Amino acid sequence: MRIVIRSLAVSLLAGWLVACSEPPKEPEVVVYTSRKDHLIRPVFDLYTKETGVKVRYTTDDDGALITRLAAEGSNSPADLLITVDAGNLWQAAEQGLFQPVSSEVLSANVPANLRDSENRWFGQTVRARTLVYNTQRVAPEELSTYEALAEPQWKGRLCLRTSKKVYNQSLVATLIERHGEEQAEQIVRGWVENLATDVFSNDTALMEAIAAGQCDVGIVNTYYLGRLITDKPDLPLALFWANQGTSGVHINISGIGLTRHAPHSEEAIRLMEWMSTELPQRVLAEQNLEYPVNPAVSPTGLVTGWGEFQGDDLNVSVAGSRQVQAVKLMDRAGYR
Ligand code: FE
């Protein structure tokens, strides 16, 4: 009798466990992203439509997401981190927040200089940081390189965004890589001497100052020009591809990495791979007027009107490995 009761208890317990265990979950991937909701949602919606896999995502600033991921550790629900700027991806990798992904799809679709050499992060879109000038005050023949903006002919004519922005830290990091620290510092000092006014908090305000004649030339990410020109097509602004025939235009990426403790790593890798293929590449680039990282996919719309350019072929990880050096250098040079 005792045996019967015991086996009854066991089977009741087993039944109770089955009833309490959750129903099989829909497949899903969890993403932390510093890309704004309206830029990223169309791509995730497309993925869910194609595969049935749900993408849950949280948007915040790069720094906040990296801090959060580090604090959550192995309890983090996040599978993937998407940030802008290779400097941020490099920082996340340095903190051990990613795990390497060896994927033939990603190796084929993402050029080697736009991904981590240890496969911890991969570029998704390319952004170009180049020169924008006032078409009424500058002839394009006067322009050539970032370095030349340090020449005396630009005294009182240059506008720059703050050195606190990672985009400029990345640009200066590549100058250090190319020229060495001493020469890079001379270039940055030359820029500071040529400033028409205080540094700007963002690229759009900087271009509005150029359009208003407060200064003649500046350095910006091209998608900001695209947005501004779409809003105000009559502004006397044009883009100039810097350093053609020398080091190429300074490029950077937005990119993605698989988190160290990803709860759904297989699904997450599938999403990463899919995002490097044609349709999502086009949608991703188009949303923010950027360039697809996959060289087999052409940019579309307004961006094609800017023509082709030679981009810098340095590995973008330089933005991270020389970031501290760049920040110190800009401080020494008086670039605020
Ligand atoms: Fe931006």
Side-chain angles (χ1 to χ4, degrees):
M1 189 61 182
R2 195 174 286 167
I3 293 169
V4 171
I5 290 171
R6 191 175 292 163
S7 69
L8 184 69
V10 166
S11 63
L12 279 174
L13 181 67
W16 179 79
L17 281 174
V18 169
C20 286
S21 69
E22 290 176 20
K25 271 194 177 163
E26 302 258 304
E28 66 168 19
V29 179
V30 179
V31 184
Y32 285 177
T33 169
S34 70
R35 306 242 70 180
K36 305 267 184 302
D37 184 78
H38 69 279
L39 300 178
I40 201 81
R41 191 179 352 101
V43 186
F44 291 157
D45 285 351
L46 200 61
Y47 188 66
T48 304
K49 220 171 116 187
E50 271 192 22
T51 62
V53 176
K54 248 185 137 165
V55 182
R56 279 202 292 132
Y57 63 95
T58 301
T59 61
D60 207 332
D61 293 340
D62 296 301
L65 291 175
I66 289 171
T67 305
R68 181 168 166 180
L69 207 49
E72 289 172 341
S74 58
N75 294 320
S76 179
D79 298 300
L80 297 167
L81 174 68
I82 295 177
T83 79
V84 298
D85 206 287
N88 290 323
L89 292 161
W90 188 91
Q91 294 292 350
E94 276 298 285
Q95 291 183 41
L97 302 178
F98 291 140
Q99 55 177 307
V101 173
S102 77
S103 154
E104 282 176 23
V105 175
L106 289 168
S107 302
N109 290 346
V110 183
N113 66 317
L114 304 178
R115 54 180 149 92
D116 175 40
S117 60
E118 292 170 42
N119 294 321
R120 293 167 300 179
W121 47 264
F122 299 83
Q124 291 197 305
T125 60
V126 173
R127 51 259 310 278
R129 193 160 185 77
T130 194
L131 313 188
V132 162
Y133 63 98
N134 183 314
T135 52
Q136 294 162 351
R137 300 162 67 100
V138 177
E141 301 79 52
E142 296 176 71
L143 297 166
S144 58
T145 63
Y146 306 102
E147 290 87 341
L149 293 181
E151 301 291 330
Q153 83 173 100
W154 298 106
K155 185 135 191 105
R157 301 172 71 191
L158 176 66
C159 274
L160 289 177
R161 182 176 183 162
T162 170
S163 65
K164 307 291 177 285
K165 184 68 186 176
V166 68
Y167 301 163
N168 286 331
Q169 296 167 5
S170 298
L171 172 62
V172 171
T174 63
L175 288 178
I176 296 170
E177 180 77 14
R178 290 256 177 227
H179 300 297
E181 198 157 349
E182 206 174 307
Q183 207 185 328
E185 186 168 335
Q186 270 173 30
I187 294 161
V188 175
R189 279 185 189 279
W191 290 352
V192 172
E193 270 168 35
N194 288 342
L195 286 180
T197 182
D198 278 349
V199 294
F200 290 82
S201 62
N202 64 71
D203 285 10
T204 306
L206 186 162
M207 284 185 290
E208 276 167 344
I210 296 175
Q214 199 180 352
C215 45
D216 295 346
V217 62
I219 304 174
V220 302
N221 284 3
T222 60
Y223 55 87
Y224 291 113
L225 176 68
R227 285 185 212 166
L228 186 59
I229 289 290
T230 304
D231 266 9
K232 302 173 182 170
D234 297 331
L235 290 181
L237 294 173
L239 177 158
F240 181 87
W241 292 126
N243 295 47
Q244 299 302 282
T246 63
S247 54
V249 170
H250 173 65
I251 56 174
N252 208 316
I253 53 169
S254 73
I256 190 166
L258 179 68
T259 64
R260 163 160 289 198
H261 303 287
H264 318 93
S265 57
E266 275 174 43
E267 288 294 356
I269 292 169
R270 271 198 283 278
L271 173 59
M272 282 171 92
E273 290 179 333
W274 176 82
M275 285 177 93
S276 73
T277 63
E278 181 163 2
L279 180 60
Q281 275 288 293
R282 242 191 297 128
V283 176
L284 268 175
E286 227 168 52
Q287 295 300 315
N288 196 35
L289 306 171
E290 290 178 282
Y291 295 87
V293 81
N294 183 335
V297 184
S298 304
T300 47
L302 175 103
V303 171
T304 49
W306 293 333
E308 293 189 359
F309 62 90
Q310 175 212 338
D312 194 328
D313 59 9
L314 276 180
N315 190 296
V316 289
S317 61
V318 162
S321 59
R322 293 203 181 272
Q323 188 181 74
V324 170
Q325 226 181 337
V327 169
K328 286 184 181 162
L329 184 152
M330 290 190 283
D331 187 51
R332 283 198 305 274
Y335 180 3
R336 299 299 167 222

